[in-house]
Amino acid sequence: MQVFQLPSSKPHKFCRLTNFVILSSSVCILYFLGCLFVVHNEFMRTYLSSQDVFSQPTSLKHIVFGIASSKNSWAKGQDYVKLWWKPAQMRGCVFLEEDIPPERQRNPTNDSTSLPPICLSGDTSRFRYTYKWGYRSEIRVARVVSETVALNHSDVRWYVFGDDDTVFFPENLVKTLSKYDHGLWYYIGTNSESYEQNTFLGYGMAFAGAGFAISYPLAKVLAKVFDSCIERYPHLYGGDSRVYSCIAELGVGLTREPGFHQAPRRQCCDLLRSSAGEVLDVAIRECKEEELIYMHP
């Protein structure tokens, strides 16, 4: 008797399964390659765009200023700020503890176009201040750093800080900051020209009266931790001491630039526009008694 064996369906099922696996794998590979191509193109576009931005020389448009003042000192301080502020080219704020009523403003309409905008400082009552001979307003002055960063300006490379009687020479400032890579962490300024102040406050601190600069990436990180950091330093005297201490906690030291400098301790500067045009004349004289700031040990 001849026996016929029916063909098995298993090979057909195996072939169909194999074809399905091959087809699925091919689709996955093509999808992966497509995603890789898109990601690569996007990365190259972003990279080339950033390279184009970084290749542009630093200018005033890349700097944001934070100026510490008060309602009592701004009436006089604005005369200094007007000497160097360029409204069409500069960005930033003058920080006051409260707004100045119109009746106390000096020519508010005429002056507003030649001065930075006014920003109101945040409440600092939750922070401790224990330095016996100091002023708790120094906490507000210190927080000008974080509040300036919080303004969220675009295309920033440097934040520059000073007091309302700090006079910046804009072109010199740009030239100085252009020497440094703004993509790295920099804290730029100089210590005091007074041995007494350096001994009391430290040789590694940038004095706010002379002005100082912080690179964008460092300023962004500093702003995030600043409030929690200054809680650890209620015993310090000044706002610049708090900024210095918090930057030191991030592992960054002072990069000294002698162009940031204060007048000698018992000498004051008078600045007037020169008849030659945009040049500033600087006259140094002995300070009057009411212009001196005494620091107790």
Side-chain angles (χ1 to χ4, degrees):
M1 179 187 298
Q2 191 173 8
V3 179
F4 294 94
Q5 186 176 7
L6 294 174
S8 174
S9 62
K10 289 184 178 180
H12 295 285
K13 291 181 179 179
F14 179 77
C15 289
R16 286 199 297 269
L17 179 61
T18 303
N19 291 337
F20 175 76
V21 170
I22 293 174
L23 181 61
S24 300
S25 300
S26 300
V27 171
C28 290
I29 291 173
L30 289 174
Y31 178 77
F32 174 76
L33 292 175
C35 291
L36 190 63
F37 178 77
V38 171
V39 170
H40 176 266
N41 284 348
E42 181 64 21
F43 171 78
M44 290 303 297
R45 186 187 66 80
T46 304
Y47 174 77
L48 293 174
S49 175
S50 64
Q51 288 297 104
D52 181 60
V53 170
F54 286 133
S55 65
Q56 298 176 7
T58 296
S59 64
L60 285 174
K61 72 175 185 178
H62 298 120
I63 301 173
V64 173
F65 292 86
I67 307 300
S69 185
S70 69
K71 63 178 181 180
N72 293 326
S73 67
W74 181 233
K76 182 177 180 181
Q78 61 183 275
D79 290 334
Y80 291 102
V81 176
K82 279 192 294 184
L83 291 172
W84 58 269
W85 184 258
K86 299 183 177 183
Q89 302 177 52
M90 293 179 170
R91 298 178 293 173
C93 250
V94 173
F95 286 85
L96 305 179
E97 72 276 29
E98 61 182 67
D99 205 0
I100 301 176
E103 62 272 15
R104 290 188 55 193
Q105 295 181 22
R106 195 184 61 198
N107 300 323
T109 304
N110 295 334
D111 286 349
S112 60
T113 58
S114 58
L115 291 168
I118 299 296
C119 293
L120 298 184
S121 300
D123 180 32
T124 61
S125 59
R126 69 184 186 277
F127 298 101
R128 293 181 301 137
Y129 186 86
T130 60
Y131 187 78
K132 185 176 180 180
W133 294 283
Y135 306 93
R136 67 168 293 106
S137 59
E138 291 293 338
I139 297 173
R140 183 184 68 82
V141 170
R143 294 187 76 249
V144 166
V145 171
S146 57
E147 291 180 335
T148 301
V149 176
L151 295 175
N152 285 324
H153 286 290
S154 61
D155 196 18
V156 181
R157 296 184 181 182
W158 297 95
Y159 290 97
V160 174
F161 303 96
D163 297 333
D164 57 12
D165 58 353
T166 303
V167 176
F168 293 103
F169 292 78
E171 290 73 20
N172 292 352
L173 180 64
V174 169
K175 184 178 180 180
T176 297
L177 296 180
S178 296
K179 298 190 302 183
Y180 300 95
D181 184 349
H182 55 272
L184 302 179
W185 288 15
Y186 276 107
Y187 168 49
I188 301 176
T190 195
N191 53 334
S192 175
E193 296 176 7
S194 163
Y195 169 79
E196 179 185 3
Q197 290 194 39
N198 287 328
T199 302
F200 181 68
L201 297 171
Y203 285 86
M205 183 186 83
F207 277 69
F212 62 92
I214 301 177
S215 61
Y216 174 82
L218 174 57
K220 293 293 284 187
V221 173
L222 178 64
K224 291 179 181 179
V225 300
F226 197 69
D227 282 354
S228 60
C229 176
I230 61 176
E231 290 277 18
R232 294 188 284 277
Y233 298 100
H235 57 284
L236 296 180
Y237 168 74
D240 42 13
S241 297
R242 287 166 171 77
V243 175
Y244 162 56
S245 299
C246 293
I247 290 178
E249 285 193 6
L250 295 174
V252 179
L254 176 65
T255 298
R256 288 180 172 81
E257 273 290 344
F260 294 91
H261 63 87
Q262 293 174 301
R265 180 163 170 73
R266 298 194 66 88
Q267 292 183 327
C268 293
C269 293
D270 291 324
L271 297 108
L272 298 172
R273 286 202 181 278
S274 169
S275 57
E278 294 299 317
V279 179
L280 292 177
D281 287 334
V282 181
I284 298 178
R285 57 174 173 77
E286 289 296 314
C287 293
K288 300 175 183 178
E289 187 65 25
E290 63 270 17
E291 294 176 308
L292 295 175
I293 298 176
Y294 292 98
M295 304 183 67
H296 300 273

